[in-house]
């Protein structure tokens, strides 16, 4: 339900409060002042209101009569009469002349003081009822504007305006016309409420303008009374018509509520009309009596008598519209009627026993008194409880069309469910107990699956957090069986064969059965699951074993892929430096080839010139040699051959350097070897440093390399060990780069006592915080900024070293650098013979 605008409702509330205070101030002005002993309207007609101890109103003979004169003075206005009475001492008799239907009636009444008690009895009750009616009308209109039953707020508003303006009827007459007009709308308001509360009737649905027509007729009557308000004859006539219409409309309202109680379309309608019945009995019945009496006697009835009870009527309506679902009224009514009848029966039995004992005592004076006490005690001990049960059964059959023993059903069902372990037997027991107690048209217990998605849908549909028993269409209900925060079953019951809706006590019994049944069903499901597990355990174990083996293979493959990926990542980071290192010898080789080409060209010219000499002609040979020497006097053949040899050597060295770098890259990036072979740790360190040489030079990092003594070989995968070393060097480059340059000291050695070879890498970079030393070996942990590290490098290094029975550790770290040591088992050197 979406509330109406708060600003609009606040404005309406302020207006009601202001008018109420204004009218209340006028009523308070009566206190302590003399008055005639009866109440006059603004038109001079005696109002049908007063207190029974006022002599002028005790018999009601002057109600609705026109005041003609007082003590010989012609009546002109209520104010003139008031001024005259106030000038007289309290208790002074005043002679009045009243007229109605051309019949003159002289009466004499003493003046009275209007006391605080008079004000409370006359104005207090009406004011409380009026304020209650108006506040309830505003509350319903604000909180439940979309509820069809909220249309009764209009009716309550009319009743409230009529009651509130009644306080002004006897002076100062500011709202006399408003009261008269509201009186004509009382019948329309009652019919309106009969058509929309506790639900919108079919008549109002078929004829949507019916309510408007009813209000139209009421407004026409109101306009007529406004025109003829100060004509005593027509005012009395129209007043009786309005009151008679209201009485008939009230009777229709009572009939509509009784019909809704007998044949309600929904449980909500039944609850609403039952709540209203309490307010109707407490407030409306006295009003109907007064209105009917006033209509039949010409207004000779004190209408203010219904004032104090009137507040209960709107309160019951408000509770019915806003919170009727929470009131288990059936249970209250059943117990109230039962206890009342039991009390009556006990009283009758007591009276009968007294009569019997007294009668017997007259005939036999020697009968002791204790026999009566014994007989009554025996009745209370052995007959009272059976009598109560019989009366309760009769009440249930008569008023509620059902009878069952709550306690016996729960005890028997609990006992049976405790020993059942079969789902079908449990279902049959629950359905049988429900059928025997309620006789529904249909009954169905559905066992629900336990998967999370289905449970989420069930919780949403059943609104478990708000309402345990959910109402369905046509009087059906759904009862969820909840155990350990999940719904294990749902019981769906059709409408009862008796036509009665499920009451609060019925729902309480169903909830108890649901709690017991849920435990039994969950126990049976657990036993079934255990049996199923026993039947399929071996198959599941085999399946699970195969799944684990497959998972292990996938993990092993994933680990290999991670190692290879980390290796390629390391290569990627130093690729630029390696490319530069390769390009240097290639560029030098290209330049050397140009020089070599020029030298070869010179050598070719020289060779052709030598080939052209005629060695077979000694005479001409001398001249040719002289010309040959002149042409090639600047050419040094020995130097030329030396330059050629040097260029070839330089080209070979450059190409060897390039080939070695390519081989190192290929070896480092190749997948893990299947066979572990002996290798030299010093050579692996050299190769790794060669790969990183260009990057080291580019970042301004000088390398100091040292080998202590003879380092025996180790056994393992050279590619994997190279990855470890290159990863350590790469981390050192990143750490030193942050300082703009530095040194990296690499030392290789062996430990003969432990049979191990080791390498230590010491840089003067930014270091590692001591509290993060152990964490750097955790997968995906990195101290580098985002995008520069995967967090897998050192984790893979530790795994590789562990696979080689070696270790990697950070020996020392501080703000001045880091020392990392790797160690591998050595292959003992075979001594020379």
């Amino acid at each position: 339900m979406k509330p109406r605008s708060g600003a609009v409702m606040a404005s309406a509330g302020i207006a009601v409060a202001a008018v109420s205070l204004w009218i209340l101030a006028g009523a308070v002005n009566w206190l302590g002042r003399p008055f005639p002993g009866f109440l006059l309207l603004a038109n001079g007609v005696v109002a049908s209101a007063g207190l029974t101890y006022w002599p002028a109103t005790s018999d009601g003979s002057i109600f609705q009569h026109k005041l003609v004169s007082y003590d010989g003075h012609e009546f002109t206005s209520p104010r003139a009469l008031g001024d005259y009475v106030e000038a007289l001492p309290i208790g002074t008799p005043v002679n009045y002349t009243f007229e109605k239907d051309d019949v003159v009636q002289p009466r004499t009444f003493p003046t009275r003081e209007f006391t605080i008690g008079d004000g409370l009895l006359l104005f207090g009750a009406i004011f409380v009822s009026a304020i209650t009616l108006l506040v309830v009308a505003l509350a319903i209109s604000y909180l439940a504007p979309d509820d069809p039953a909220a249309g009764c707020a209009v009716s309550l508003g009319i009743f409230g305006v009529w009651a509130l303006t009644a306080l002004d009827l006897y002076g100062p007459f500011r709202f006399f016309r408003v009261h008269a007009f509201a009186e004509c709308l009382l019948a329309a308001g009652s019919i309106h409420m009969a058509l929309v509360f506790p639900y919108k009737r079919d008549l109002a649905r078929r004829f949507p303008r019916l309510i408007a027509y009813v209000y139209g007729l009421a407004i026409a009557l109101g306009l007529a009374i406004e025109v003829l308000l100060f004509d005593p004859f027509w005012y009395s006539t129209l007043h009786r018509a309005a009151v008679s219409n209201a009485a008939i409309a009230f009777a229709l309202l009572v009939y509509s509520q009784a019909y809704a109680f007998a044949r309600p379309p929904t449980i909500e309608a039944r609850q609403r009309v039952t709540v209203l019945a309490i307010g109707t009995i407490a407030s409306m019945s006295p009003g109907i009596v007064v209105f009917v009496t006033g209509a039949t006697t010409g207004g000779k009835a004190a209408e203010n008598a219904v004032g104090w009870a009137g507040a209960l009527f709107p309160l019951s309506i408000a509770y019915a519209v806003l919170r009727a679902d929470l009131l288990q009224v059936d249970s209250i009514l059943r117990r109230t009627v039962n206890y009342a009848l039991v009390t009556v029966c006990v009283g009758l039995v007591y009276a009968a026993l007294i009569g019997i004992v007294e009668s017997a005592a007259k005939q036999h004076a020697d009968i002791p008194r204790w026999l009566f006490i014994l007989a009554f005690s025996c009745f209370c001990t052995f007959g009272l409880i059976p009598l109560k049960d019989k009366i309760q059964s009769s009440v249930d059959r008569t008023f509620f069309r059902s009878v069952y023993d709550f306690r016996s059903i729960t005890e028997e069902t609990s006992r049976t469910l405790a020993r059942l372990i079969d789902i079908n037997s449990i279902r049959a027991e629950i359905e049988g107990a429900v059928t025997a107690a309620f006789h529904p048209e249909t009954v169905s217990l559905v066992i629900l699956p336990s998967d999370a998605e289905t449970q989420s849908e069930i919780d949403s549909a059943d609104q478990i957090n708000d309402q345990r028993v959910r109402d369905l269409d046509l009087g059906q209900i759904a009862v969820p069986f909840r155990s350990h925060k999940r719904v294990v079953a749902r019981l769906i019951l059709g409408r009862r064969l008796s036509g009665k809706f499920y009451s609060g006590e019925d729902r309480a019994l169903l909830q108890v059965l649901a709690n017991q049944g849920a435990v039994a069903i969950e126990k049976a499901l657990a036993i079934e699951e255990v049996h199923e597990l026993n039947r399929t355990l071996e198959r599941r174990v085999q399946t699970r074993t195969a799944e684990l083996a497959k998972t292990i293979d996938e993990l092993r493959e994933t680990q290999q892929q991670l190692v290879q990926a980390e290796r390629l990542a390391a290569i990627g980071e130093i690729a630029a430096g390696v490319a530069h290192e390769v390009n240097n010898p290639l560029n030098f080789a290209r330049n050397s080839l140009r020089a070599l080409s020029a030298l070869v060209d010179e050598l070719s010219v020289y060779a052709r010139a030598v080939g052209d000499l005629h060695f077979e002609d000694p005479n001409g040979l001398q001249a040719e040699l002289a010309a040959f020497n002149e042409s090639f006097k600047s050419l040094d053949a020995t130097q030329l051959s030396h330059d050629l040899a040097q260029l070839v050597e330089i080209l070979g060295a450059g190409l060897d350097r390039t080939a070695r770098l390519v081989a190192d890259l290929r070896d480092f990036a190749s997948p893990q070897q299947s066979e572990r072979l002996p290798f030299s740790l010093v050579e692996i360190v050299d190769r790794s440093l060669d790969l990183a040489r260009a990057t080291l030079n580019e970042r301004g990092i000088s390398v100091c390399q040292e080998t202590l003594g003879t380092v025996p070989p180790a056994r393992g995968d050279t590619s994997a060990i190279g990855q470890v070393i290159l990863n350590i060097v790469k981390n050192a480059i990143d750490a030193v780069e942050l300082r703009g340059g530095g040194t990296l000291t690499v030392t290789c050695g062996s430990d003969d006592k432990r049979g191990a070879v080791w390498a230590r890498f010491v840089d003067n970079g930014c270091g590692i915080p001591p509290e993060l030393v152990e964490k750097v070996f955790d997968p995906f942990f990195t101290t580098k900024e985002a995008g520069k590290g995967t967090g897998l490098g050192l984790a893979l290094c530790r795994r590789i070293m562990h696979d080689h029975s070696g270790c990697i550790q950070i020996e020392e770290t501080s703000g001045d650098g880091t020392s990392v040591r790797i160690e591998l088992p050595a292959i003992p050197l075979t001594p020379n013979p």
Side-chain angles (χ1 to χ4, degrees), residues 803-826:
D803 289 345
H804 286 75
S805 300
C807 66
I808 177 174
Q809 59 184 350
I810 298 178
E811 292 184 322
E812 182 181 352
T813 179
S814 64
D816 296 328
T818 304
S819 174
V820 182
R821 174 189 170 98
I822 63 172
E823 185 176 296
L824 290 167

Side-chain angles (χ1 to χ4, degrees), residues 41 178 238 240 300 348 395 410 459 482 604 647 737 790:
L41 302 178
V178 177
L238 294 176
R240 286 196 298 271
K300 295 180 180 181
L348 292 176
V395 169
T410 54
D459 287 349
R482 174 169 284 273
S604 298
L647 286 174
E737 182 184 8
T790 63

Side-chain angles (χ1 to χ4, degrees), residues 112 186 202-203 251 268 271 279 443 518-519 530 552 684 714 719 723 831:
R112 296 178 57 86
L186 292 178
D202 293 337
L203 186 63
E268 181 183 19
Q271 295 288 63
V443 56
V519 174
V530 170
I552 291 173
I684 298 297
S719 177
Q723 178 179 353

